[in-house]
Amino acid sequence: MKPSLALAGTLALTACSGSDAATANFPSWQNTQVNAVSRIVSAAGVVTTTSMKPDGTLETVALGLEDGRRLWAYPATMAGRLPGMGVSAPAIVETAKGQGVVVALDPAKKGRWNATLIARDARSGTQKWARPMHSTFGPQRCGPYVCVSEHTALTHARMVVLDPATGRVMWRLPGISEVEWSDPARVLLLRMAANPMIESYDVKTGKLQWQQPIEQALGPGIDLSGGWAFGSTGDNLVGYVAPYTNPQTKKVSTFGLFSIRISDGTVNWMRPSVVRVYPSGSPGYAPVVRPVDRQGAYGGFARLDSETGRVVGQITASDVPGSGWWLAFPDRMDKLGFLKHDAKGSAFDLVSGKPTQVGEERGWSFCVTDPKPLPLRGQAPGFYSTAAVCEYDLGTGTRVSPMNAPPPWFTGSQDGWRLWRDEKGAVHAVNDHTATAPGMYG
């Protein structure tokens, strides 16, 4: 691990290719002693993630936000989580100024229970409480509390809302739910059912405030098997449901992007029959999509305004090059690049739709195009680590070295800090005062 607060890495404040970019040194660090395979979350001055050890077992790791130093680590596991959801991250909740609780699934088995949900003091790692688990998708922060769906593999699945300090159940809800947005007063849940809903609850009492079927926004035929993603922008929740082809009927489920007002559940806008592209920003921050027609043919690319759903820039299908490319975006996402590894690619201005010279264009794309599943011990196969992005020279198709910090549309930002994992799993952080916004993974 190399805390390099003084050697902070020079990061460009502006992202205009070929300009005299303003640069400054910001507090930053990296910790190469972890192999983060989940999302990275932080609160109360502590960073936490799920790390994979060389023997294929998992552990919950806590690092100091200011310097990246390891605070503590304990064994972790998953029990009943589906591989397509990725490795679960711990939940971290601030309980008082500078104090927090990290909640994660521990391998400890007891009787008929497969694992134990354990809450620990964020700084010291001291255990606060434990709750036995049969099966769960993992804990999440929901406002000042912890939400966890439990018994997910059983017919009586439910979500419980727990006090992070004591583990006391505040309220519960039948069925499986996932937290998509929360603040100190309200939590928005995706209710996973035959007719999936977004529902808003008073986080302290569990009183239902409103509910909105996703079919109301995108139309009938929703199937969450293809995956989903949510992000917020201002007072709105922007959601994406991916297509899923039923293996029996060969029919494709309803898919697209939509926006719901957080205060009352009103549908603001909808963009049915578009797929989200990767890498790209959160649905709530610079979503980039491709339309798909009824025959399954892809159109061009469009960047949407997450507030209004309007197209703010696009390139046409006829401009999309043949095959063998990977998408790459610069820091500001004002251009769209087609990266060809070790060869000359192409790029377009997303606002005008016109091609640009790729000689000096750089773009961020996935570091690995054929990722291998994680060799996790005692877990179902098919779990992958959270993807990392690398910077490429689009003119040559080669990686840029040394690498700058990935752009805010990928990392997101919280209280000025941006956190990410590199392709080897090391955790990086920089405090460059970027405004708080969701990243690609929320």
Side-chain angles (χ1 to χ4, degrees), residues 362-419:
R362 292 182 172 189
W364 293 85
S365 191
F366 290 127
C367 303
V368 179
T369 52
D370 58 340
K372 305 286 185 288
L374 293 168
L376 295 177
R377 190 195 286 183
Q379 295 290 339
F383 281 96
Y384 291 83
S385 58
T386 303
V389 290
C390 291
E391 192 175 15
Y392 291 86
D393 181 325
L394 292 178
T396 61
T398 55
R399 280 199 200 176
V400 174
S401 182
M403 198 173 86
N404 292 319
W409 58 257
F410 178 77
T411 64
S413 182
Q414 189 176 342
D415 301 324
W417 282 95
R418 301 200 292 119
L419 297 156

Side-chain angles (χ1 to χ4, degrees), residues 17-34:
S17 179
S19 72
D20 294 325
T23 58
N25 282 340
F26 297 111
S28 71
W29 52 261
Q30 59 177 327
N31 188 319
T32 56
Q33 294 175 338
V34 295

Side-chain angles (χ1 to χ4, degrees), residues 15-307:
C16 305
S17 179
S19 72
D20 294 325
T23 58
N25 282 340
F26 297 111
S28 71
W29 52 261
Q30 59 177 327
N31 188 319
T32 56
Q33 294 175 338
V34 295
N35 178 16
V37 292
S38 76
R39 290 190 308 112
I40 301 166
V41 289
S42 68
V46 173
V47 175
T48 184
T49 187
T50 304
S51 175
M52 186 181 75
K53 296 166 76 173
D55 65 358
T57 59
L58 296 171
E59 63 179 0
T60 303
V61 179
L63 312 173
L65 178 62
E66 293 295 328
D67 57 13
R69 292 187 187 280
R70 183 179 173 121
L71 299 172
W72 52 265
Y74 283 97
T77 192
M78 294 180 288
R81 190 171 169 92
L82 307 176
M85 304 177 81
V87 177
S88 57
I92 182 165
V93 183
E94 188 168 33
T95 52
K97 186 73 174 162
Q99 295 177 18
V101 171
V102 173
V103 183
L105 204 62
D106 189 284
K109 297 184 178 184
K110 212 179 256 185
R112 62 196 177 95
W113 306 101
N114 297 318
T116 307
L117 192 72
I118 296 184
R120 295 182 170 96
D121 180 86
R123 287 233 158 252
S124 68
T126 305
Q127 183 173 322
K128 288 186 155 297
W129 51 265
R131 182 180 180 87
M133 287 278 148
H134 173 275
S135 45
T136 178
F137 290 164
Q140 295 179 281
R141 180 178 66 83
C142 50
Y145 302 125
V146 175
C147 285
V148 57
S149 284
E150 54 184 17
H151 309 320
T152 51
L154 305 175
T155 52
H156 57 283
R158 63 187 184 182
M159 190 194 80
V160 290
V161 181
L162 308 173
D163 180 326
T166 64
R168 183 168 64 91
V169 176
M170 309 300 293
W171 49 278
R172 53 172 60 89
L173 206 57
I176 300 173
S177 302
E178 182 178 89
V179 177
E180 305 303 351
W181 181 92
S182 69
D183 70 5
R186 180 194 298 264
V187 58
L188 266 52
L189 301 174
L190 169 63
R191 303 294 307 281
M192 298 180 200
N195 181 15
M197 302 253 187
I198 301 293
E199 294 182 344
S200 174
Y201 289 85
D202 181 300
V203 76
K204 291 185 169 59
T205 66
K207 181 172 183 280
L208 177 66
Q209 296 167 326
W210 55 258
Q211 59 184 182
Q212 183 64 270
I214 294 178
E215 290 191 344
Q216 197 70 36
L218 294 178
I222 298 287
D223 188 324
L224 294 177
S225 305
W228 62 89
F230 287 83
S232 61
T233 172
D235 302 325
N236 304 316
L237 181 75
V238 182
Y240 170 64
V241 177
Y244 175 71
T245 304
N246 185 304
Q248 271 77 47
T249 64
K250 304 291 185 250
K251 283 188 67 175
V252 179
S253 64
T254 299
F255 59 97
L257 211 63
F258 61 96
S259 169
I260 291 178
R261 198 183 302 154
I262 288 171
S263 59
D264 60 12
T266 303
V267 175
N268 298 307
W269 55 263
M270 60 200 79
R271 283 271 172 185
S273 303
V274 298
V275 293
R276 182 188 181 201
V277 304
Y278 300 92
S280 65
S282 156
Y285 180 80
V288 179
V289 298
R290 290 190 84 177
V292 185
D293 67 18
R294 289 178 183 275
Q295 283 70 48
Y298 286 93
F301 291 84
R303 176 169 165 181
L304 306 180
D305 181 318
S306 50
E307 290 280 355

